Each structure stands twice: as structure tokens, then as C-alpha cells.
Amino acid sequence: MKFNIIELEEVDSTNKYAKDNIEELNNFDVIFTKRQTSGRGRMGRVWEADNKSLAFSIVIKDSKLLNDFESLSIISAAAVFRALSTKCDKVSIKWPNDVYIGSKKVCGILSEGISYDKLVGIIDGIGINVNNSSLPLDTATSLFMETGKEYNIKDILFSVLNNFDDLITKHFNGNNEYLDIINENNYLFGKTAYAEINKQKKLVKIYNVLPNNHLVIEYDGNKKEISTGEISFHLND
Ligand code: BTN
């Protein structure tokens, strides 16, 4: 495997560790920890991770990947989808990069860019609830809670990394299998939900993901394509 795994007994956040050490770290170094004491989620949220869950960050420094931020984010979700769907039915991807089982979230991904004068790295942080028997939010679930079985956390790490490698390699050879994976397993497809678009709340119908990674949505009678930064969903409203 082309990944170099750096294992830490305990760390505040694997993303923060990778950011703080970006100069010494190499492309495809992976920061993996058994206990993350102050994990970061999107939009300033916290992400709890103890030894029952998988928390890791992939360091990206390859210039081709740095220029393809949006594909990278969906490819990460597709790799997690592939790893988890061998263990459990009902796994799907909520564009751009959450993974669900049924209607609950099992994996969150936080990709953070690091730039000085220009972008020098992306930290692709992935958190998966694996053997947790309960979780603080009732909108979240774990593999154990869905299947009643416990899993080896490192096996899941290796499976995600192997799938990530496979999908990235195919993508750079012109085969965008990751798009088929998201469109065949798109949690949002066909749903109608409230979403915030450019700070306005709208009721939108959701369709497929396009080759440019944009999502097709319909609101106020028109179909539009939208990029990741432009929309956030309120699925429970
Ligand atoms: C989300 O809010 O959905 C994203 C959660 C991302 C959590 C992972 S756990 C490993 C990595 N290190 C962090 O501090 N956060 C990410």
C-alpha cells in the first residue's frame, strides 16, 4: 500500500496534528489514533472519538490532487461507502461526503486546506462510528448499532485506504467510478428538503451528481446545479 501509517496512542485531533506538522509530513501519510480527545467536525462542531470509533487523517500534498479538491472529497466518501457496504446493507452517501446507514449518519469527513501563499496541503479527516453501543446524537449510528457485530477497527482503516487508492488511481486514468458509486447510492436522490442556498432557505428537490461533482437540484420551478460550498441541507426540518 502506498500509505504510511503514523499511529498515535492519543491526540487532540488527527486533523490538527497533520496541520501542525504539515511541513514534515509527506503525501499519503495517514495519522491514525485510538483516542481523539478534541476531534473537529464541520461548521465548528465537535466529533467524539474513543477507542470504539475510527479517526484518521490522510495528508494530501500531490499537486494533481490539490487541484481537484471536490473530487477528492466525494472519492473519500465513496471509499468509505465501499468499505462499509461489505459489512452492512442500507449504506448510502449524502453528497458531498457524509456516509449514512438508513437515515442516520455513520461517517463524517472534514477536508481542510492548508495554504500559505498557495495551497500546500489538504488534510482529509475521516471519522467512522464502528463499535459504539450508543452515541450522543440520535441522528447518528454505528456499524455495531446496525449489525450487532463488533469489527476490527484497523481492518476498516485498511479497507477505506485501499478503496481510496483504487478510486483515485482510476480517476486519474479517466475512469470516474466514484461518480457511479455516489449516483447509485445517493441518500439525497429524489428527496425534497429545506436547504440554505446563498443564505436563503428554500424547499428543494434533489437529483443526481454531475461529472463536475455538482449536485442537480430544483427549486422555484427551475433546475440548477450547485457546488459544495453553496448549499447546506436541513434534512430534519
Ligand atoms: C463532520 O462534521 O461530519 C466531519 C467530522 C470529521 C471527523 C474526523 S475524525 C478524524 C479527523 N480529525 C478531526 O479532528 N476530525 C476528523
Side-chain angles (χ1 to χ4, degrees):
M1 185 168 7
K2 59 169 71 141
F3 299 96
N4 167 42
I5 297 181
I6 299 166
E7 184 167 344
L8 307 172
E9 257 324 286
E10 182 176 308
V11 71
D12 49 0
S13 149
T14 55
N15 269 31
K16 181 172 184 303
Y17 180 94
K19 276 181 115 173
D20 291 347
N21 295 285
I22 190 69
E23 278 178 34
E24 297 83 61
L25 291 168
N26 296 309
N27 190 48
F28 289 149
D29 279 351
V30 173
I31 315 300
F32 163 69
T33 188
K34 297 208 184 99
R35 264 185 311 279
Q36 178 170 258
T37 54
S38 188
R40 310 207 284 220
R42 277 204 306 271
M43 292 179 264
R45 288 186 298 240
V46 292
W47 182 270
E48 310 240 332
D50 55 16
N51 61 354
K52 294 192 178 300
S53 48
L54 171 57
F56 65 103
S57 301
I58 308 172
V59 176
I60 307 292
K61 286 182 134 179
D62 177 286
S63 55
K64 257 196 311 186
L65 285 169
L66 292 183
N67 289 326
D68 202 0
F69 190 86
E70 288 191 46
S71 307
L72 183 72
S73 144
I74 302 179
I75 288 172
S76 308
V80 173
F81 169 86
R82 270 216 198 145
L84 301 191
S85 57
T86 62
K87 319 250 176 279
C88 181
D89 298 334
K90 303 184 290 174
V91 183
S92 63
I93 302 171
K94 178 175 157 265
W95 177 93
N97 58 8
D98 284 341
V99 181
Y100 272 53
I101 299 180
S103 57
K104 294 185 174 187
K105 178 161 159 172
V106 68
C107 162
I109 300 176
L110 176 66
S111 297
E112 298 187 84
I114 305 172
S115 26
Y116 299 116
D117 288 337
K118 59 182 176 93
L119 188 63
V120 294
I122 294 173
I123 310 302
D124 196 24
I126 302 182
I128 305 177
N129 301 323
V130 180
N131 294 324
N132 315 65
S133 51
S134 67
L135 287 161
L137 293 175
D138 63 7
T139 49
T141 192
S142 72
L143 271 182
F144 175 79
M145 286 157 72
E146 297 296 327
T147 64
K149 288 188 202 144
E150 293 212 0
Y151 298 87
N152 181 309
I153 289 189
K154 273 203 181 155
D155 285 350
I156 295 179
L157 169 67
F158 294 137
S159 172
V160 174
L161 292 176
N162 280 325
N163 281 303
F164 181 82
D165 184 17
D166 177 55
L167 293 171
I168 288 273
T169 308
K170 285 181 174 150
H171 173 55
F172 284 123
N173 289 326
N175 171 356
N176 286 329
E177 194 174 319
Y178 77 95
L179 282 172
D180 298 334
I181 297 176
I182 185 163
N183 278 318
E184 283 160 19
N185 303 282
N186 179 352
Y187 177 73
L188 296 170
F189 188 84
K191 287 194 166 59
T192 301
Y194 281 101
E196 206 168 290
I197 304 166
N198 303 326
K199 302 219 163 80
Q200 283 190 306
K201 196 171 174 182
K202 300 269 181 197
L203 189 62
V204 303
K205 178 142 196 228
I206 304 151
Y207 295 90
N208 55 310
V209 179
L210 299 170
N212 62 4
N213 300 309
H214 292 179
L215 181 70
V216 179
I217 57 171
E218 186 179 317
Y219 66 94
D220 295 345
N222 299 310
K223 268 197 179 175
K224 272 190 72 148
E225 56 174 271
I226 199 136
S227 69
T228 45
E230 292 176 281
I231 189 164
S232 63
F233 293 102
H234 301 276
L235 290 171
N236 301 316
D237 287 7

